[in-house]
Amino acid sequence: MKITKERLKEIIKEELGADSNAPRTADRFSDAIRGQFMRAKDRATVEGLAHHYDEMIARAANSAPFGPEGPLEIADGLVLDRESPYWSWVRHHLQHLIEVPPEAIEALPLSGEFADAAMERVAAKEERKAANLKRLAAIDPKDLPDGAAAYYKKYGTRGEF
């Protein structure tokens, strides 16, 4: 089936128009936040994200709907130091909430929904790490295969470098 250039341009305009006419929701924001919590590497990061998330949602709900300058104003009010990674995190994620109605922002879940799952993941990761370190500490270099034993004989065991 052949499509003329004119028909292709019409199809593209229809698709772009459909996307821009759709009401803005907070779904992309919620998905992005969930991903950030799940990528957190330690408990302190999860706690920092949870604190800033709750404050960010409260301020965004109070000033919604906001325009393109809204994320910058909210980030400046929430995190005093622009060098802080949380400042750029807040500003970046608030971009998803531009022109979103206040009702949609207020309907967003609290940080507990994201933080609990993230804390469980971090705790499981810490347990695996502790078990691995315990297993490694119990290994005697003499019990290792010949290549590893020769390496330890030449360079010493862990901690003796």
Side-chain angles (χ1 to χ4, degrees):
M1 179 173 126
K2 289 188 175 184
I3 298 177
T4 65
K5 286 184 180 182
E6 298 302 320
R7 179 65 184 136
L8 182 60
K9 287 180 182 178
E10 288 176 20
I11 292 172
I12 292 172
K13 284 182 183 178
E14 288 173 8
E15 290 297 320
L16 290 175
D19 287 343
S20 63
N21 292 336
R24 294 193 53 118
T25 64
D27 294 339
R28 287 186 54 205
F29 173 80
S30 183
D31 292 341
I33 293 295
R34 181 174 283 109
Q36 288 292 310
F37 272 92
M38 292 311 290
R39 283 191 292 276
K41 296 191 184 297
D42 55 26
R43 294 175 189 272
T45 303
V46 173
E47 291 168 359
L49 291 175
H51 168 74
H52 285 89
Y53 171 79
D54 289 336
E55 288 284 325
M56 175 174 57
I57 294 304
R59 288 178 185 241
N62 289 338
S63 59
F66 48 84
E69 72 285 342
L72 185 62
E73 293 172 1
I74 294 171
D76 282 338
L78 182 61
V79 183
L80 299 177
D81 181 16
R82 281 193 174 196
E83 297 299 319
S84 168
Y86 290 112
W87 183 88
S88 59
W89 182 81
V90 167
R91 185 189 50 77
H92 171 75
H93 285 90
L94 284 173
Q95 299 289 334
H96 296 293
L97 297 180
I98 292 175
E99 297 178 6
V100 172
E103 300 82 31
I105 295 174
E106 290 170 356
L108 287 169
L110 294 176
S111 65
E113 181 178 320
F114 306 120
D116 293 341
M119 283 294 203
E120 288 174 10
R121 189 184 139 292
V122 167
K125 180 181 170 185
E126 288 173 351
E127 288 174 11
R128 284 191 309 271
K129 185 176 180 180
N132 190 33
L133 288 175
K134 185 176 180 183
R135 183 183 62 82
L136 287 175
I139 295 175
D140 186 5
K142 296 173 191 164
D143 298 336
L144 296 174
D146 291 337
Y151 176 86
Y152 283 120
K153 183 177 180 183
K154 182 176 181 180
Y155 297 106
T157 58
R158 282 176 235 93
E160 297 177 3
F161 293 105

